[in-house]
């Protein structure tokens, strides 16, 4: 090993007293740190292509299964069901993906690499913010996969391709807001297995007690009230359907945006608190 | 004041009812190697974690180069490098990617991070493995990469938590020479170890920790002297008379005798002349010896004399 570990080149270490030190992390540094962590998350997902399965193969499978299973009974035909199911699959996929980020964060926190990050002069929130930033890319991938699948099955949104782009961006924003809620619960529980279960527990009622897969007037009255008036997922799905059919935004769009802002106001501080405390 | 790299006063950390660290005081001068020695669970890692700003002490205070670990946390973080007990690098990324990410986080530009990473990979003989995934790395290579990652910012203080645990003897010797070179370049090193010879070989000062408390703080030679100039080793012929022999030696030397599994008795000795008394006393009661040996005490024996427990021996 030719004297490999001898550190032959003598790098003189600047003594502590001669260094210029700051006790605060600047906003600019925090942003740079966040992008570095987002880059790290993406590099890791590229090395591990299975991590993209939940935004590629899963939605393809769900679109096929739901369309052929319920298409006839809910809407009379497959062609009539696609405009209902595609936005539903989109939100369900994004929410499943949100859950995965929470689990990933939880796993990272249990690893010793977190100790190195914690001993470095970086913004405390950067690992979390970076992972959530990288997530946006996953959401967009999911959106493209789902609309491509829809097109293959014969779905042509009336409002055209720009409406599709707008829908993907809108859903990405909604999902990003929801992902803080998932991350908070994942960080609050004891293990990553528990994090994965609680993720499902949030995703299922929000997705299925909504208008995402069936028209909400088919639901029993109590569920129907929740689906129509409380569940932000219903608002988001209704907004996307409107964008795709008429190319316009209405009350549902703004209601969904407001719900997300409310969720962010609640869950961003909570998430940061539990993250800095545990991490 | 400022020539102390580490100054800790009464550090305490409790987990539930367990006082993992129970009033640790430390004074470590700049430019030295301090070895923190103790068995598993003695509080070594917990102490390092508090000094490296990973966890907050429940009581007491600590300063790194005069900066308070609790109030000037970010300043302290700019001055330290930490290599934990378990490799703290990304398994799924390559060596180069790992170093680039840590370099960027230390504020280097992409170009500088790359240059610095290349320098370190060369110094640690990892250039050929730069673009290999870590899953193909040997234990020694991981440790080297881990240490390299801690040196990216040229920190004046480096914490090494059990840097050679699990390494083969050759890699361990290489790690030792790396650590010596770090100090030659002006860094201060604090390392924890369970290996007494490692502390003996490397450290300028040794802090012995047991059950969360500092039980000794001295130079390696000073420690050995404090528990006796020489060490007496006696092997008795019949295993039945081991306890009797131990009692006699304890009476004459007025110190504890360590009995190994192979019925070998070891005791520190300040006065070599007492050997005659011991041999005479043993002969009087008819205990036959197969071996008598006088030598410099090992840190193992020092540890036993200081803490009165044989945990270290039993674990090994």
């Amino acid at each position: 090993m030719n004297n490999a570990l001898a550190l032959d080149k003598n790098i003189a270490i600047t003594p502590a007293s001669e260094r210029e030190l700051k006790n605060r992390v600047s906003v600019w540094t925090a942003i740079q740190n966040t992008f570095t962590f987002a880059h790290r998350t993406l590099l890791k997902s590229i090395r591990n292509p299975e991590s993209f399965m939940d935004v590629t193969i899963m939605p393809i499978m769900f679109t096929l299964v739901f369309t052929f299973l319920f298409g006839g009974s809910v809407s009379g035909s497959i062609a009539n069901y696609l405009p209902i199911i595609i936005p539903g699959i989109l939100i369900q996929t994004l929410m499943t993906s949100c859950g995965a980020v929470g689990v990933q964060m939880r796993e990272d926190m249990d690893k010793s690499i977190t100790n190195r990050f914690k001993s470095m002069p970086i913004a405390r929130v950067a690992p979390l913010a970076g992972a959530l930033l990288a997530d946006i890319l996953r959401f967009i991938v999911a959106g493209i996969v789902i609309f491509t699948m829809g097109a293959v099955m014969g779905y042509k949104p009336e409002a055209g391709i720009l409406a599709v782009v707008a829908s993907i961006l809108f859903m990405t924003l909604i999902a990003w807001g929801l992902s803080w809620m998932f991350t908070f619960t994942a960080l609050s529980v004891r293990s990553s297995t528990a994090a994965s279960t609680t993720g499902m527990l949030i995703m299922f009622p929000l997705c299925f007690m909504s208008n995402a897969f069936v028209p909400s007037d088919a639901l029993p009255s109590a569920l129907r009230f929740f689906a129509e008036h409380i569940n932000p997922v219903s608002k988001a799905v209704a907004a996307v359907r409107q964008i795709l059919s008429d190319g316009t935004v209405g009350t549902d769009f703004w209601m969904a945006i407001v719900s997300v802002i409310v969720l962010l106001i609640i869950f961003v501080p909570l998430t940061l608190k539990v993250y800095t405390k545990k991490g | 004041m400022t020539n102390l790299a580490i100054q800790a006063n009464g550090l305490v950390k409790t987990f539930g009812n367990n006082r993992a660290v129970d009033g640790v005081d430390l004074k470590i001068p700049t430019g030295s190697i301090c070895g923190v020695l103790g068995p598993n669970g003695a509080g070594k890692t917990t102490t390092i974690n508090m000094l490296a700003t990973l966890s907050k002490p429940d009581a007491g205070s600590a300063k790194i180069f005069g900066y308070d670990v609790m109030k000037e946390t970010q300043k302290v973080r700019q001055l330290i490098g930490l290599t934990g007990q378990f490799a703290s690098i990304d398994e799924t990324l390559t060596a180069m990617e790992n170093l680039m990410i840590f370099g960027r986080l230390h504020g280097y530009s992409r170009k500088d991070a790359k240059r610095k990473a290349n320098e370190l990979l060369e110094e640690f003989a990892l250039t050929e493995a730069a673009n290999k995934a870590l899953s193909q790395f040997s234990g020694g290579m991981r440790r080297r990469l881990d240490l390299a990652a801690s040196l990216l910012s040229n920190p004046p203080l480096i914490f090494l938590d059990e840097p050679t645990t699990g390494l083969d003897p050759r890699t361990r010797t290489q790690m030792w020479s790396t650590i010596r070179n770090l100090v030659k370049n002006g860094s201060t090193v604090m390392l924890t170890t369970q290996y007494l010879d490692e502390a003996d070989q490397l450290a300028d000062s040794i802090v012995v920790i047991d059950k969360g408390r500092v039980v000794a703080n001295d130079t390696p030679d000073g420690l050995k002297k404090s528990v006796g100039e020489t060490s007496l080793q006696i092997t008795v012929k019949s295993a039945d008379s081991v306890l009797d022999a131990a009692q006699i030696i304890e009476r004459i030397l007025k110190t504890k005798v360590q009995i190994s599994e192979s019925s070998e008795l070891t005791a520190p000795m300040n006065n070599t002349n007492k050997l005659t008394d011991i041999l005479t006393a043993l002969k009087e009661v008819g205990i036959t010896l197969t071996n008598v040996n006088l030598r410099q005490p090992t840190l193992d024996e020092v540890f036993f004399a200081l803490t009165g427990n044989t945990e270290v021996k039993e674990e090994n």
Side-chain angles (χ1 to χ4, degrees), chain A residues 1-25 29-30 32-48 104 108 111-124 126-127 276-279, chain B residues 49 52-54 65 67 71-80 82-84 86-90 92-94 97-98 100-102 104-106 110 116 119-120 122-125 144-147 149-151 153-156 170-171 174-175 177-178 181-182 184-187:
Chain A
M1 213 166 287
N2 60 51
N3 199 16
L5 293 178
L7 285 175
D8 290 327
K9 261 182 266 166
N10 282 345
I11 311 155
I13 302 289
T14 316
S17 51
E18 290 166 25
R19 291 178 182 227
E20 212 175 289
L21 304 171
K22 279 186 237 150
N23 202 31
R24 279 192 68 244
V25 178
T29 308
Q32 279 185 318
N33 292 164
T34 301
F35 275 94
T36 306
F37 275 104
H39 177 65
R40 168 175 173 260
T41 308
L42 289 177
L43 270 180
K44 284 173 68 134
S45 356
I46 290 166
R47 287 297 135 72
N48 180 16
Q104 184 63 50
D108 254 15
K111 284 187 188 151
S112 51
I113 194 161
T114 311
N115 276 350
R116 182 183 293 288
F117 292 139
K118 278 159 70 184
S119 74
M120 290 170 75
I122 56 171
R124 288 297 293 273
T276 45
K277 196 176 151 204
K278 279 207 189 177
Chain B
N49 283 353
T53 75
L54 298 189
F65 296 108
Y67 298 109
K71 290 181 196 127
E72 293 163 295
T73 315
Q74 288 295 351
K75 283 187 187 175
V76 170
R77 286 177 184 159
Q78 288 160 62
L79 297 171
I80 59 169
L82 170 71
T83 299
F86 305 101
S88 41
I89 33 187
D90 254 314
T92 43
L93 302 181
T94 67
E97 285 164 345
N98 263 295
M100 279 290 286
I101 286 167
F102 293 128
R104 296 281 289 149
L105 290 175
H106 272 298
R110 202 173 300 272
K116 188 74 198 167
E119 263 174 40
L120 283 166
E122 200 188 317
E123 276 161 20
F124 284 87
R144 272 143 61 197
L145 182 63
D146 208 350
L147 182 56
S150 306
L151 302 181
S153 63
N154 302 322
R170 202 174 94 128
T171 321
Q174 287 177 331
M175 192 58 99
S177 79
T178 307
N181 270 290
L182 290 174
K184 214 184 279 169
N185 291 350
S187 292

Side-chain angles (χ1 to χ4, degrees), chain A residues 96-149:
Chain A
T96 312
S97 178
C98 291
V101 181
V103 175
Q104 184 63 50
M105 287 302 301
R106 190 76 197 76
E107 273 175 6
D108 254 15
M109 278 172 83
D110 296 336
K111 284 187 188 151
S112 51
I113 194 161
T114 311
N115 276 350
R116 182 183 293 288
F117 292 139
K118 278 159 70 184
S119 74
M120 290 170 75
I122 56 171
R124 288 297 293 273
V125 66
L128 178 71
L132 290 170
L133 183 66
D135 225 27
I136 291 177
L137 191 86
R138 292 167 61 83
F139 295 161
I140 292 173
V141 168
I144 294 169
V145 167
I146 291 165
F147 278 101
T148 309
M149 188 61 203

